[in-house]
Amino acid sequence: RLGYFETVDVETPAVPGTNDQVDVVYNVKETTSGSFTFGLGYSQSYGLTASTELSQNNFLGSGNRAAVSAARSSYQEKYGFSFVNPYFTDDGVSLGYNLSWSQIDYSDYNTAYYATTNASAKAILGLPITENDTISLSLGIDSNQVSTYSGYTPQAIIDYIDAIGQRTFHAWRGELGWARDTRNDYFMPTNGLYQRVSAELALPGSTAEYYKLNYEFSKYWPLGSAVVLNTRLDLGYGDSYGKSATRNLCYSDADTAPSDPCSESSADYVKTVTASGLPFYENFYAGGTRSVRGFTDNTLGPRSEATYYYSDGQPLGGSLKTTGALELYFPKLFKSNAARVSAFMDVGNVFDGVDNFQTSELRASAGVALLWRAPVGPISISYAFPLRKQDGDEIERLQFTFGGGF
């Protein structure tokens, strides 16, 4: 379950001269503690991805984990550094640090047309409660600069930024989480449960003050030696707190300055804009290989108004996420722990707030999938039939991703 071993075999030979005692013997094959990885991946939605990472799980013999990484694809450029001391105290309290910088063009990510440049730093404290339960606490700071494009970016996003009055969003973030993990295997579990509850808060003084709540649940039910049922649920909700930001906008041209102050009675008054709710760059998304298969990645849920360039609008995501799945795994079809076949049914969507949730808007699909930990990296292939869809949904029955290291 730790992911430190390639194989684990358990033997229980009888203790010589006794009839009620056995020895428990573990034979393990360790994976490498350090690696330099160059990775190549491909997704139908995001194209080719290249990445490199230098990591060491036993840095200088200390037991600490350190890593530096870089990744580049059609929609993002990202660099990161992380360090974790898993035994900051003798009781198993862990302490970690993350630093990252990224540029992301969301127009190539099947979402609304805008781009961000983000720099962040975070400290994470982990407190084990039992063998299976952990509480985590993190505190971080980040700066997120948003770029919009006239004629392409949805008006709702432009209005939100105009109401704030700046394009760079600074945030102090705090997160508290609890997780329980009783799964019997790190890569291919066949029994056990994983669930996590977390609450994230953009602290007072941040450019946008908001909170996000998440709940993840996954349980594996052995129905026999050849069939395992996995039930999954993923819920998320976010909203702003405090006062909404409101501004009046007045028109100006090259020769005339706008009215200052700008009011509804000003001759050049255009409109009043308000920034409230979960910021657009924190919205949840659904559809694709990691949520509701059979639908194109990130395309479910609310969409923007139609524009000259996007007649069907653009996916905006939502502040409420509701996705789940039932999946039957058949571990005996391959005599290997590196591959498994499954049959699944996915359900879910994202909504613009709790008040807009409607069960009739939930999408559903069913299909089959193959997951293979190939020598070139994990390969995932699925073929799904949408069971519940609506006009305008972007269907993608065959979906696959692969990524690997050398």
Side-chain angles (χ1 to χ4, degrees):
R1 225 177 73 188
L2 296 173
Y4 292 156
F5 306 104
E6 185 174 322
T7 60
V8 178
D9 296 316
V10 184
E11 299 176 356
T12 55
V15 175
T18 69
N19 58 8
D20 61 352
Q21 296 180 24
V22 296
D23 287 327
V24 181
V25 181
Y26 290 91
N27 297 299
V28 300
K29 181 179 179 181
E30 295 187 37
T31 60
T32 55
S33 62
S35 64
F36 177 76
T37 303
F38 175 71
L40 287 174
Y42 182 80
S43 166
Q44 284 173 298
S45 299
Y46 314 132
L48 186 67
T49 300
S51 64
T52 183
E53 181 180 57
L54 175 63
S55 64
Q56 175 56 257
N57 290 335
N58 188 20
F59 185 66
L60 300 178
S62 63
N64 299 329
R65 297 192 291 269
V68 291
S69 62
R72 189 178 183 89
S73 67
S74 63
Y75 70 93
Q76 77 167 356
E77 181 179 353
K78 186 174 184 179
Y79 305 94
F81 168 79
S82 64
F83 179 87
V84 179
N85 183 348
Y87 285 91
F88 181 68
T89 71
D90 291 342
D91 295 327
V93 175
S94 64
L95 179 63
Y97 309 94
N98 292 337
L99 299 173
S100 68
W101 180 91
S102 64
Q103 282 187 330
I104 302 177
D105 184 348
Y106 285 93
S107 64
D108 290 328
Y109 196 62
N110 291 339
T111 64
Y113 202 116
Y114 69 94
T116 64
T117 300
N118 181 276
S120 66
K122 180 189 293 186
I124 307 169
L125 191 69
L127 177 64
I129 304 301
T130 69
E131 182 179 358
N132 300 312
D133 298 84
T134 304
I135 291 177
S136 62
L137 175 65
S138 69
L139 181 64
I141 184 173
D142 65 75
S143 175
N144 193 25
Q145 182 178 352
V146 180
S147 299
T148 59
Y149 307 92
S150 178
Y152 293 86
T153 301
Q155 191 61 45
I157 293 177
I158 295 176
D159 288 347
Y160 186 98
I161 294 174
D162 287 341
I164 295 293
Q166 62 186 65
R167 295 182 179 274
T168 301
F169 294 78
H170 303 285
W172 288 94
R173 301 173 187 267
E175 183 176 1
L176 179 65
W178 166 81
R180 167 170 290 180
D181 190 353
T182 64
R183 293 173 296 181
N184 63 344
D185 189 86
Y186 183 79
F187 294 107
M188 299 287 190
T190 58
N191 198 354
L193 172 147
Y194 175 82
Q195 62 178 333
R196 186 176 189 271
V197 181
S198 65
E200 179 185 351
L201 181 70
L203 302 174
S206 302
T207 305
E209 299 174 344
Y210 61 91
Y211 64 89
K212 295 178 74 173
L213 307 174
N214 286 275
Y215 176 67
E216 300 174 61
F217 174 88
S218 177
K219 184 172 176 60
Y220 293 84
W221 309 77
L223 303 182
S225 60
V227 181
V228 176
L229 173 65
N230 177 224
T231 55
R232 295 194 301 273
L233 182 66
D234 191 356
L235 304 176
Y237 176 71
D239 200 357
S240 59
Y241 66 90
K243 294 183 178 180
S244 300
T246 301
R247 288 182 69 210
N248 295 324
L249 300 182
C250 288
Y251 174 79
S252 64
D253 54 32
D255 300 322
T256 306
S259 298
D260 187 15
C262 177
S263 66
E264 294 184 13
S265 60
S266 299
D268 54 353
Y269 169 79
V270 178
K271 62 180 178 179
T272 299
V273 291
T274 300
S276 62
L278 188 67
F280 62 90
Y281 54 84
E282 291 290 341
N283 276 346
F284 300 100
Y285 290 89
T289 56
R290 293 178 177 84
S291 57
V292 186
R293 286 163 282 192
F295 297 88
T296 304
D297 283 28
N298 303 326
T299 58
L300 294 181
R303 302 182 76 91
S304 70
E305 73 284 356
T307 66
Y308 178 79
Y309 299 101
Y310 297 93
S311 58
D312 295 327
Q314 303 171 47
L316 294 174
S319 60
L320 175 65
K321 175 178 64 173
T322 57
T323 62
L326 295 174
E327 193 154 7
L328 284 172
Y329 295 107
F330 306 99
K332 297 295 185 180
L333 289 182
F334 295 99
K335 294 181 179 180
S336 170
N337 292 327
R340 65 181 181 187
V341 173
S342 65
F344 62 84
M345 184 176 73
D346 294 341
V347 178
N349 208 336
V350 294
F351 303 88
D352 185 18
V354 176
D355 294 339
N356 292 317
F357 173 81
Q358 297 180 6
T359 55
S360 61
E361 292 294 321
L362 292 174
R363 305 297 196 266
S365 65
V368 293
L370 168 67
L371 178 62
W372 178 31
R373 288 171 54 206
V376 296
I379 296 175
S380 174
I381 304 173
S382 65
Y383 192 88
F385 297 90
L387 302 177
R388 194 173 187 178
K389 61 180 180 178
Q390 293 190 8
D391 294 339
D393 288 345
E394 298 183 29
I395 306 302
E396 191 176 64
R397 288 187 172 86
L398 178 64
Q399 295 174 317
F400 64 90
T401 61
F402 79 84
F406 303 94

